[in-house]
Every structure is written in C-alpha cells, then in structure tokens.
Amino acid sequence: MSVSMKDLDPAFRGSGQKDGLEIWRIENFKPVPIPASSYGKFFMGDSYIILKTTALKNGSLRHDIHYWIGKDTSQDEAGTAAILTVELDAALGGRAVQYREVQGNETEKFLSYFRPCIMPRPGGVSSGFKHVDVNDQDHETRLYVCHGKHVVHVKEVPFARSSLNHDDIFILDTKSKIFQFNGSNSSIQERAKALEVVQYIKDTFHEGKCEIASVEDGRMMADAEAGEFWGFFGGFAPLPRRAPAEGNEKHEETAIKLLCFDQGKLEPVNYESLAHELLQTNKCYFLDCGAELYVWMGRTTSLQERKGASEAAEKLLSDSNRTKTHIIKVIEGFETVMFKSKFKEWPQTPDLKLSSEDGRGKVAALLKRQGLNVKGLMKAAPAKEEPQSYIDCTGNLQVWRVNDKDKALLSSSDQSKFYTGDCYIFQYTYAGDDKEECLIGTWFGKKSVEEDRVTAVSLASKMVESAKFQAVQARLYEGKEPVQFFVIFQSLQVFKGGLSSGYKKFIAENGIDDDSYSEEGLALFRIQGSGPENMQAIQVEPVASSLNSSYCYILHDGNTVFTWAGNLTTALDQELMERQLDVIKPNTQSRSQKEGSETDQIWSLLGGKSEYSSQKMVRELESDPHLFSCVLSKGNLKVKEIHHFTQDDLMTEDVFILDCHTSIFVWVGQQVDVKVRLQALDIGEKFVVLDFLMENLARETPIFTVTEGSEPPFFTRFFTWDSAKSLMHGNSYQRKLAIVKGGGAPALDKPRRRTPVYSGRSTTQDKSQRSRSMSFSPERVRVRGRSPAFTALAANFESSSNRNLSTPPVVKKLYPKSLTPDSSNTSSKSSAIAALAGSSDRPTQTPTPESIKDGSESEKPKQVEDAKDAGAMNNRVESLTINEDAKENEPEDDEGLPIYPYERLKTTAADPVTEIDVTRRETYLSSAEFKEKFGMTKEAFSKLPKWKQNRLKIDLQLF
C-alpha cells in the first residue's frame, strides 16, 4: 500500500530521507514543522508527531514514528495526530513502526531521543499560550519526582512535604540552588540518572549559574545541605509511606487477546496456540497484551482500513479508561522483536538472493571452464571494504594447546598451526592508548571434544582472574573467528585431525580413522585472507568438489606439490598462496595450475573431475549494535534493551551486553560482585541461546568479556568514548555527582602511549612466516637486589622526557591514571601493576622485546635508539633502587598531620574520615602503617614519579 504524494500533506513531503529527527506540531488539525532548536520542548496542550530516521549499516533507512499527546490536548487533536501518523507511514513506504506516547507514560525508546529528559510546559497553541523565556521572569520554586535507571521520567509534583517519600528521587529547584533528595529505597543507578536531570535544569533554567546539593534520606539537620533542604519544607519531620499515585495503572498479567478488525468491527479470534498463521495479510488485528496494544496491519490492507484500525484502537483504550497503555502499530513484514516474541513461532526472514555481480561471476567461471572467451563477462565486482580490526597488530603472542586437563606452551614456530580436533588458549598483549592491553582467548576446533573445551575455558578464566580481570576474554569457534583473531595471528594454518590426548581417545573409542595432517600424505589447502597480515590456509577434503573459482589452493602428495588459482582470483590471492606455500612446503618445487588448464595428474590426485562452486564465501556482516542491561537470577537471564545508548548508560554496578551480530560483548562494571564477574562468559552464552533479537544467532558466535576500565578499542568504537569516565572511582552516583558539582565532565587531553598499527607490522615482509616473541618469559633472569616492582618497571618503563620527575603534573581527584603529557612516555603494563600492588612475593612476568623481521633495514635505527633508551632506563631504575634502600632506615616524618587508621582513609571506608585533603589520603597514615601498606618509607614514596604514586594509591583504594 502506498499513498500518492499529491494526497500527502505538504509538511510531510521530503521527510525521512536522512538520519535524524523531524518533529511536527498539530495546529488547527494540520502538521506544522518545528525548528530543531525547539526539539524536546513539548507543551501540555498540544499533540506532536515525531519521525526518527535511522541509517542502517546495510544502507537502508529505518523509520520510527511517534505521536505524543499532551495531558491537556483535545481529543480531536489527538485523533488527528494518530491519523496523520498512518499517512506519514504510507508515504514512507509502509514500513515504519508507530508508537502512541501519552504525557507521563512515554516509552523508553521515545525518551531516549531527548536525553536526559523531557519536561513538558503548560499551555499550547489552541489556548493561545505565548512562550516566555524562563530566565526573564522571577524563578518559581518547583519540585520534581524522577523514575528510571536508563532513561528518566520526570514529573512535577506539588511543592509540599507530603509529595516526598522513601522510594523515589526528588529534585527541588530553587532560585539559587538545586537539591537532589535521594529516597532511602532508591537505587544508585536511579540517583545517577537523576543527576543528569539536575544538570539539565541548571543549564536550561539557570544559565548554568547555580549551586547543586545532594541530600540523603535520613540525614538530620546536622548536615548543612540537608538542613537547608528541609528548611524549605518548614523543618525536618519523618516521611510517611508513599501512597499510590493518582492514575497509577497496574497492568496485571492477563491472557493475551487477539482481535480481528474487519469492516469497522472488532471480533475476538479464538486460538489454542498463538501462531503466525492466524494473521491474514488482507486484514488488521489487535494483539492486546495489557501494557501494550499492538495493531498489526496486513500488507494488502488499504490506507482507509489502516486509519479505521488506528481510530478503533484509540477508542478501545478510551472506553476502558486505559490511559497508560501503549499503542504500537506494526506493518506485516516489519514487525518488532517484542511483537514477534508473543507468538509461539515466527518464520525466519527468507535469505536474500545472490547479487547480480555474484551471478555474473558464477556464469563467467562456468563458461571459461568450457573454453569460451568471457573477457567482457569477467568484469570484477567492486571490492567490498574489509572490516577493520581496531587492534594493534605489533603485540606479543603466546599460545597453548589444551592436553589432558592442562595446557602446553607452543613454540613460536608452531603457535599459528592449529588442528581442528584440538582446543587452544592464546594470550596477546599490545599497546593501548596509555597502557598495555591484554586479550586472553580460547579457540575451539570444529571436531574438538567437549572435555577439552571445558578445560580450555577453565584455564583461560583463571588467567583472566589472576590478571584481576584487567584482560579481555574471548571465546571463539573455528569458522566464526572475528577479524581481531586473524590479525593477531597474521598467518594461520588449520590442519585436519588433532594432537591432543582427548581427541585421540575420542576417535579410538568411536572407531574413527585418524585423518590428522601428515606432511608426507595427500592434503588440499584453501587459501584465504585480505593481505599478509591476515591470511589463512585451511585444510579441506582432497576432492575436486572442494575447489572454488574464487580461491587459490595448495595440493601436495608428499613432495609432489601443485598450486591452483581459480579464474576469479586476484594477484593478491595468488601472492598469499605463495606465502602460505613457504610455510606448508618450504624449499619444495611446486607446479602452477590455472583453472581450465589443469594437467591430468592433479585431477587424478583429487579423485577425478567434479562440479564445484565459484561463489566466494561471504562472512556475516556486522549489524547495527544493540545494548542490553542484563541480570542473571537463578540461572535465568533477564535482558532489557537500551535505546540510542551512550557510554553513560554503562553503569558500574551492572552487567551489559553489546550485540553487533558478528560478536557479542559482555561488559562488567567494577562494582559488580566477583561471583557475577566469574559468570560473565556464561551470561554471554545464555544470551546467544536466548537470541533476543531473533536474528538467528549461531551458538558459535564470538563472545568477548570486558571489564570496566580495560575496554579495548574494538569495543569502545561503538561509543563516543571518554576514557576518563571509565577510570573514575566510586559508584555511578558518586562519579556523576563529582562531574556535576565540578561543572561538567572534564575535557582531558588523553595522551597516547604510541600510535597503534592496525594494518601490518611491516610493508617489506619476507614471504616466510615470521616468528613472534613471547609476551612473558618465566625464565627471564631477575636483576639481583631489585624488588619485583622494580623488576617490572625495568621491563616496562619507556624513555621519559627531560621533565624533572620531582615536579610532577597535577592529577585531578577521582581519576586514577595520570592524564598528563608525561603519561605518553610511560607504560603501565599489567605485570607492573600487579607488582606495584604490594604482592612482592608473587613472581613477575615481563615481556621480552618483540622479534624483528629479517631484512627490515628500516627498523635498525630504532633498535639502536631503543638500546640507548633501555640503558638510560636501567641506570635510572638502579638509581631509584639504591635511593630506596638508602632511605629505608631513616627516621620517619609525619609532617605534623593527624594520624588515622588505613580502614578509615580508604575511598570505600564504611566510616570515612572527614575534613582531610582527599587527594593526599596516604599522608595521614602512621609511618609504620604506611611502610606496611606501601612497602617503602614516606620519603622514598615522595620521590617516585606522580603517575607511579597514583598507581600505588589506586591499588590501595587511597585515590
């Protein structure tokens, strides 16, 4: 169904063609566009139509239409908005989802467009209301109540003590100060979100010039801010229990009802099981779920029928006084996930047909095999852009094979040779923005046994736990690897069979022949990849049907070696084949074969000619990301989508899942219980099984677990990321309060340790596979007389600038890492952090210098420079060590400050000390307790660089 443009209201013409919002107000029953500067400003006496257009990654546009009804709007005006919404949808192609929004009960999706909140104002067009700038009139004291963990519903309530209660959060807006009153039963997350409203009120109604105060429920008049707050209500008095709010509808769980709207009448549909087949394409249906009323419109229904259904839905709710029920209108073929989830089963969307380019290539390859000239037909399709890895590929790699409930370290020459019957654990350290990042992952071969998979996950999880959860953990399956995995390994070979005892035992018990790869046997490899830094050789069945015109292959039978290039391959494909040949069969002569001109010998080795494909295997494309908050309760995972998410939605007390279809990220906040942290991977696996978006997620979808403060670039790319926020201490409310009271988020210029390399280590690589240096070497000799902390620093500290270390830059409160220019010359690797945490009895692992490629002349000057820097660094560390030892026995000086116990000085103290300089908590420790906690004297500590001092204080919860 479509609508003619001549029948469309002129105000709607040209709408919905680009990403963003468009808003119309209903004036005299006509839509009138409002300027972008007025977006988010709604008047209670009006109705509005809001169009949200989203540009998807696949190039298409998605439309969501909302019609908002103010509490004082007329019934006729509200009905006009509902009808015009149907017309707008028809003009956009009949694919939009339409939402009815009632003032005070808006959907979270709608409110997410206008963060942090909307605050409707009295009046409207029909009442002749003229807007007066609030800053030009005397300020009126107002009281608001706030609800919501992810988006905030704000409602003005009477300015009276009786409006307050223990369950909610209230904002008192006075002329010179804004108070936030936190009910004792309110959550930390709700308090944090309410502070965003406080900031909005300050900026909107006070021109950013007023004080902000927070008041905790239960604090008496002794607290100055609490006393000032209660003074507005005539003094402190106990609050009563909250009475049910007016119009607070409770939607009891009722049976879902299906009604058919046909020829202006509603008829109930009887069913035993709610099935998709009940919906007929030439009719409209109502699915009444209590809190939501869905209106489903068949594709062949007319515009008039859809308008009639829309009017009937409004009347149904009006007659039953269901003012809080949401109306959601969906079109056949474009239903929402929540609508489809109400049915017992919903058919999968049919797969898309091959593109014209794919079809042309398939025909061309077939004709060339028959000896025909296909020059004109072989026109190459435009190259698809390779996905970026967002990970530095110059890091250090270690790989272990899982064997007999343990792991065995592989040599650098074997660490990129995997077997499909085995499981592997890998650890990769690489340069982040201001510190070393670490990725610990497991790889499961397609034919690996369950026992080895369980062992691999258990061992990898222990490695992550020992790293204090500062490492990202990945769970990967063969055939579903993300681009980050391939870039880490660069040149990867996957062989048939397995070497682990678990695999050998499995095939023996099941009478399966061992087909593990043998250099002396017959083997066929498919070569794939995007370049020298991302190439793989995958062993396949040695038969002709395994060939593909879009790939190159290596075939060997002992020392008899053939290379085969399909007609649709490029020069790059053939170069990658040559590189892989140097790994699989080095120093062996090979015979080149082109598709269509093969010798009889190659067909004999492959068991004779056979039909094969010419279509290139296309990996699943990354979809637009979706963020979910999730709670694991009694083994059941409950998820809730967060619309139009930002970094601020990642609350430190919670667990979130980011779903981009090709990968799943489980983000765990710092304040999450350790038991829940250990279940992060299980949460991701349950989400994959749940398949909330009904996108047919494969069980093998890659899962990454990410801890707050250790987010890798391939996670933060989905946000507008501010590292300073993720490095703050305290709970969500304390962090937000520090920002709000400080006048907004600080604009810190975060330095980079060094520029990450995403595309490759060197442009002049030798064809042979280069070896990797191991990231940690347990056998490395430790310098005699140095503590583990200084040993770690000696391995990780890079050359500093000439700035005097005794005059460090100022570090702002609440930010645990120095974000000053000097930080760019430091490397705070995980091993150094562990050593500095005070665990001097724990062995320290330090990375060895990365191996340099043979023949790379351009890197020689850098080696000399690095050697000089390393010598200077060692001299500095030796000096620091000697000074530390010399000063250790000198008298202590408490600077005349009062002394407090460590337990009261911590940032997480239950009974914290007040009236101290919170940026220098350590100075209030006694000399004995200081030395016990820090492992050095106060004077030795004072001579450390500022960034090192802060790191120690962070680990001891003194910063």
Side-chain angles (χ1 to χ4, degrees), residues 130-297:
K130 299 297 183 183
H131 173 58
V132 179
D133 193 331
V134 292
N135 297 312
D136 293 338
Q137 48 184 337
D138 292 336
H139 189 279
E140 180 182 351
T141 300
R142 297 177 184 272
L143 184 65
Y144 303 93
V145 62
C146 300
H147 304 278
K149 284 177 59 174
H150 305 299
V151 293
V152 188
H153 293 264
V154 181
K155 180 182 178 182
E156 185 176 356
V157 293
F159 173 33
R161 184 201 308 275
S162 58
S163 296
L164 303 175
N165 61 63
H166 299 295
D167 300 316
D168 296 321
I169 298 162
F170 295 85
I171 296 174
L172 179 64
D173 180 19
T174 71
K175 184 173 183 178
S176 60
K177 185 178 285 190
I178 304 173
F179 297 86
Q180 176 169 315
F181 175 82
N182 301 315
S184 57
N185 298 331
S186 62
S187 70
I188 291 172
Q189 297 93 323
E190 286 182 305
R191 298 178 186 188
K193 279 297 176 183
L195 280 171
E196 295 180 9
V197 179
V198 170
Q199 184 67 51
Y200 172 79
I201 293 174
K202 177 181 177 180
D203 294 339
T204 305
F205 302 109
H206 296 267
E207 297 183 328
K209 300 174 184 177
C210 72
E211 295 183 52
I212 291 174
S214 62
V215 178
E216 298 300 319
D217 186 5
R219 282 193 183 174
M220 303 301 165
M221 299 294 288
D223 184 281
E225 290 184 338
E228 187 178 357
F229 172 80
W230 288 111
F232 285 95
F233 297 92
F236 175 81
L239 296 179
R241 290 182 178 274
R242 182 175 63 175
E246 289 184 24
N248 187 21
E249 276 181 36
K250 294 291 183 180
H251 296 286
E252 299 180 1
E253 291 190 11
T254 56
I256 295 177
K257 300 176 184 177
L258 182 65
L259 304 108
C260 177
F261 179 77
D262 191 19
Q263 296 182 354
K265 295 182 180 180
L266 276 176
E267 297 291 340
V269 177
N270 297 320
Y271 61 88
E272 293 183 1
S273 175
L274 190 58
H276 170 264
E277 290 73 23
L278 293 171
L279 305 177
Q280 299 180 35
T281 190
N282 62 341
K283 295 181 180 178
C284 295
Y285 291 84
F286 291 7
L287 189 67
D288 192 348
C289 304
E292 301 91 17
L293 176 65
Y294 291 94
V295 180
W296 184 89
M297 304 173 181

Side-chain angles (χ1 to χ4, degrees), residues 547 551-556 559-567 569 571 573-579 581-582 588-603 605-606 767:
L547 299 176
Y551 293 92
C552 293
Y553 291 80
I554 297 172
L555 174 67
H556 76 69
N559 288 327
T560 302
V561 182
F562 292 91
T563 61
W564 185 89
N567 286 327
T569 59
D573 295 329
Q574 294 165 29
E575 181 187 350
L576 299 186
M577 176 178 64
E578 293 294 327
R579 290 176 179 267
L581 184 61
D582 288 338
T588 303
Q589 188 69 29
S590 64
R591 297 170 61 184
S592 299
Q593 304 281 299
K594 292 287 187 180
E595 182 180 5
S597 58
E598 301 89 349
T599 63
D600 291 339
Q601 186 178 2
I602 192 172
W603 294 123
L605 290 175
L606 293 175
K767 289 184 180 179

Side-chain angles (χ1 to χ4, degrees), residues 226 377 488 521:
L377 216 81
I488 286 171

Side-chain angles (χ1 to χ4, degrees), residues 782-796 829-846 877 881 884 935:
R782 201 175 85 191
V783 179
R784 185 166 61 88
R786 293 183 186 172
S787 67
F790 278 92
T791 302
L793 285 172
N796 297 299
K829 295 185 180 180
S830 58
S831 56
I833 295 172
L836 287 170
S839 53
S840 58
D841 58 337
R842 190 164 55 234
T844 303
Q845 296 178 318
T846 56
V877 174
T881 308
E884 179 191 17

